[in-house]
Amino acid sequence: MQLTNPSAATDNCRYCLMCRHVCPVGHVTHLESLTPHGWGLTIASVQRGLLTWNTETVGALYHCADCGACRANCVTDQPLPDAIAAARATVTAEGLAPASVYRVGELLATWGNPYGQAAPAPATARGEVALFVGDDAHFVRPGLIDAVVKLLAAAGIEPVLVGRGRNNGYLASSLGFPDTARTLAQATLDEVAATGARRLLVLTPGDLFTFRQLYDERLGIAWPAAVALVDVVTLLADLLDAGKLAFQRLAESEPYAYLDPTHTVRVLERADAPRRLLAAVLPGAARELFWRRERTHPTGATALQYTLPHMAMLLASARLEDAHKSGARLLVTEAAGDLALLERLAPRLGLRMQGLYELLAAQLT
């Protein structure tokens, strides 16, 4: 259900340090003001009239990655990320947000995505199963979609493509534009309804979290009960286990590790599936990163890549350094946004990135 007063979490979080150890921004900046309790204290102090929203406090507010690590590691499930999003909505409405925030907000309102290259392409068919493409895969990694369609076709599934070039609404919500987020969310819901689909397949943890939880808690929009949300990676792993998909194992491979995508902490139940798939195609035991599963850090492929790109680069570099320390030389993940960001930096550490969907499609038998 929608959180009627998410800002109440700031009172509970402002002097609590129990999730501080998992905050990715705190790790790379070493600044106490840029940790969960620092953001909670800042927001609570503004609410009490002890601080005002100015360049310094607004700047701190927009350093949060909105990755969900704090809430995922909170024993009382405090919705601090939602409280930060609510505070940002107040700041944007008062015209106090950084110029970069308004630039992205305008792109989302005008084009439905932060790329500003083209408006979303509408679905042109009907079917029982739809696949949400989104903006990252559509604009920066279209081959990923081709690979997914190939994998699903091998199991006899032919989905209708929806949301091609449309952000799922997370980015607008995270930046403090809830009305734009609702518009994007409703466009997706309307398109899914027009296809007649009863299952919507999603490609990333971020999509699954946004549709299943963010719409409800932040935007007050209930996901339709008649449409089941299905994680593609989990579906593929289940099809593999049932003998409905088969892959040819590579004869040899570099030491490899699976890199949990941004937002994995918000949908932990799907963390085993990609590892099962990789075990079917890559020889040898996988390495494991330290920042994985319930303590997964974002790669920087959040709002930060548009508003504070230097912070996104710091987060991406930290993920790659973690991978390098594990002994892995090949990193596999599936989210297009994560891949696009990490591929720019991975060669500096002698690492190679590989898309999970593309790898699996190439090894289909």
Side-chain angles (χ1 to χ4, degrees), residues 58-66 88 92 97-108 114 170-172 174-177 300-313 315:
V58 169
L61 183 69
Y62 274 94
H63 270 74
C64 170
D66 191 5
R88 288 175 176 177
T92 59
S100 59
V101 171
Y102 291 109
R103 284 196 295 270
V104 180
E106 182 63 27
L107 288 171
L108 290 168
Y170 160 82
L171 183 56
S174 184
L175 287 173
F177 300 106
T302 64
L304 291 174
Q305 65 185 313
Y306 304 108
T307 58
L308 292 168
H310 68 285
M311 276 301 308
M313 292 296 105
L315 293 174

Side-chain angles (χ1 to χ4, degrees), residues 23-96:
C23 176
V25 174
H27 270 265
V28 298
T29 64
H30 309 289
L31 293 174
E32 202 64 31
S33 59
L34 303 182
T35 63
H37 93 91
W39 290 308
L41 184 57
T42 296
I43 297 170
S45 296
V46 171
Q47 292 171 338
R48 286 169 165 76
L50 302 174
L51 289 176
T52 61
W53 290 125
N54 53 40
T55 301
E56 182 179 5
T57 53
V58 169
L61 183 69
Y62 274 94
H63 270 74
C64 170
D66 191 5
C67 66
C70 55
R71 184 174 181 181
N73 287 270
C74 177
V75 295
T76 58
D77 194 34
Q78 294 297 317
L80 182 61
D82 301 310
I84 292 172
R88 288 175 176 177
T90 298
V91 167
T92 59
E94 294 178 359
L96 300 175

Side-chain angles (χ1 to χ4, degrees), residues 45-361:
S45 296
V46 171
Q47 292 171 338
R48 286 169 165 76
L50 302 174
L51 289 176
T52 61
W53 290 125
N54 53 40
T55 301
E56 182 179 5
T57 53
V58 169
L61 183 69
Y62 274 94
H63 270 74
C64 170
D66 191 5
C67 66
C70 55
R71 184 174 181 181
N73 287 270
C74 177
V75 295
T76 58
D77 194 34
Q78 294 297 317
L80 182 61
D82 301 310
I84 292 172
R88 288 175 176 177
T90 298
V91 167
T92 59
E94 294 178 359
L96 300 175
S100 59
V101 171
Y102 291 109
R103 284 196 295 270
V104 180
E106 182 63 27
L107 288 171
L108 290 168
T110 303
W111 298 99
N113 61 72
Y115 296 97
Q117 298 177 15
T124 57
R126 290 177 58 84
E128 285 291 311
V129 181
L131 171 67
F132 182 79
V133 174
D135 48 359
D136 289 339
H138 182 74
F139 287 111
V140 304
R141 206 174 183 89
L144 183 155
I145 302 302
D146 296 336
V148 171
V149 169
K150 180 181 178 180
L151 289 164
L152 294 173
I157 301 171
E158 297 184 4
V160 178
L161 302 186
V162 300
R164 291 180 292 167
R166 182 187 305 112
N167 188 267
N168 58 23
Y170 160 82
L171 183 56
S173 169
S174 184
L175 287 173
F177 300 106
D179 290 341
T180 300
R182 290 187 185 95
T183 298
L184 294 170
Q186 194 59 55
T188 294
L189 291 173
D190 291 345
E191 187 175 17
V192 171
T195 68
R198 290 295 174 263
R199 286 194 297 167
L200 180 67
L201 310 184
V202 296
L203 298 169
T204 70
D207 290 332
L208 185 57
F209 158 71
T210 298
F211 295 149
R212 189 172 71 182
Q213 186 173 343
L214 184 148
Y215 278 13
D216 194 9
E217 290 188 349
R218 293 192 191 178
L219 306 179
I221 297 175
W223 186 262
V227 181
L229 288 168
V230 180
D231 173 58
V232 168
V233 170
T234 301
L235 173 62
L236 294 176
D238 290 345
L239 290 169
L240 173 67
D241 293 343
K244 296 180 180 180
L245 276 182
F247 301 101
Q248 181 178 357
R249 187 189 299 271
L250 291 170
E252 54 185 66
S253 170
E254 306 162 87
Y256 76 92
Y258 174 70
L259 187 145
D260 292 285
T262 300
H263 303 295
T264 290
V265 295
R266 287 167 151 157
V267 286
L268 273 176
E269 74 277 7
R270 50 95 67 200
D272 284 331
R275 290 169 168 84
R276 283 157 41 207
L277 290 166
L278 278 179
V281 298
L282 293 179
R287 311 296 174 94
E288 284 285 0
L289 279 63
F290 180 81
W291 297 106
R292 66 186 187 274
R293 297 181 182 265
E294 71 277 359
R295 55 177 182 254
T296 297
H297 277 181
T299 65
T302 64
L304 291 174
Q305 65 185 313
Y306 304 108
T307 58
L308 292 168
H310 68 285
M311 276 301 308
M313 292 296 105
L314 285 175
L315 293 174
S317 296
R319 291 304 306 276
L320 292 171
E321 289 169 5
D322 184 21
H324 188 266
K325 290 176 183 177
S326 77
R329 292 299 173 262
L330 171 66
L331 295 182
V332 185
T333 195
E334 67 268 30
D338 291 330
L339 284 163
L341 189 58
L342 294 174
E343 283 175 337
R344 295 163 55 187
L345 302 176
R348 300 179 187 178
L349 289 174
L351 298 171
R352 184 169 67 88
M353 297 301 306
Q354 171 70 61
L356 174 63
Y357 295 125
E358 294 95 326
L359 174 62
L360 294 174

